[in-house]
């Protein structure tokens, strides 16, 4: 696949997630997908099934969107800088629903193999996310 096709694959991945179409992951993600930066909650299966479990949890608890701000591709890798926005509508493991709007920045590297996402590394603002949910106090003692 060309670098432009790889970028389109990643954009489609986030579009399908935003639409709640997790069944599309069967066509977009390799069965033995490796997430080198998994969510901060334990208990997900390995591979594509674990990815679907994680996104189902987050999509139900924090429905929202991913806005791609930048994308760079070289070889079999695509780097995406994005902003995720949502509302904490339902409980997350150990965190009761707050109803608060949330945002989280992230930089994600996907490796593509045989036309599917095969690996992922990411750097997300989990600390800021937890501050917005009131799990970690915001600077100055104010909660998000």
């Amino acid at each position: 696949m060309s670098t432009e096709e790889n970028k389109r694959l990643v954009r489609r991945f986030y579009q399908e997630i935003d639409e709640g179409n997790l069944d599309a992951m069967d066509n977009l993600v390799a069965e033995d997908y490796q997430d080198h930066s998994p969510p901060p909650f334990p208990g997900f299966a390995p591979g594509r099934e674990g990815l679907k479990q994680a996104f189902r949890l987050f999509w139900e608890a924090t429905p929202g969107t991913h806005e791609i701000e930048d994308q760079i591709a070289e070889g079999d890798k695509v780097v995406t800088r994005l902003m995720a926005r949502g509302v904490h509508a339902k409980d997350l493991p150990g965190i009761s629903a707050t109803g608060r709007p949330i945002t989280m920045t992230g930089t994600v590297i996907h490796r593509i193999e045989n036309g599917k996402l095969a690996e992922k590394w990411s750097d997300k603002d989990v600390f800021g996310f937890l501050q917005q949910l009131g799990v970690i106090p915001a600077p100055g003692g104010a909660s998000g």
Side-chain angles (χ1 to χ4, degrees), residues 84-106:
R85 301 177 196 279
V87 175
H88 186 204
K90 293 187 179 179
D91 294 352
L92 287 165
I95 307 171
S96 297
T98 64
R100 294 179 183 167
I102 51 174
T103 59
M104 183 168 57
T105 59

Side-chain angles (χ1 to χ4, degrees), residues 4-45:
E4 287 305 313
E5 289 171 319
N6 288 345
K7 287 164 60 174
R8 276 194 294 278
L9 173 66
V10 172
R11 286 192 300 268
R12 180 167 172 228
F13 171 75
Y14 286 112
Q15 178 184 355
E16 297 292 356
I17 290 168
D18 290 351
E19 293 174 4
N21 185 10
L22 299 184
D23 290 336
M25 298 304 112
D26 294 340
N27 295 320
L28 303 174
V29 178
E31 187 173 351
D32 60 349
Y33 177 80
Q34 293 182 30
D35 188 345
H36 299 284
S37 312
F41 307 110
F44 297 114

Side-chain angles (χ1 to χ4, degrees), residues 106-128:
T107 303
V108 184
I109 302 170
H110 284 100
R111 185 180 68 78
I112 290 88
E113 182 178 290
N114 298 321
K116 292 187 177 187
L117 304 177
E119 288 184 86
K120 180 204 90 173
W121 299 262
S122 63
D123 181 18
K124 302 172 284 235
D125 183 15
V126 175
F127 187 78

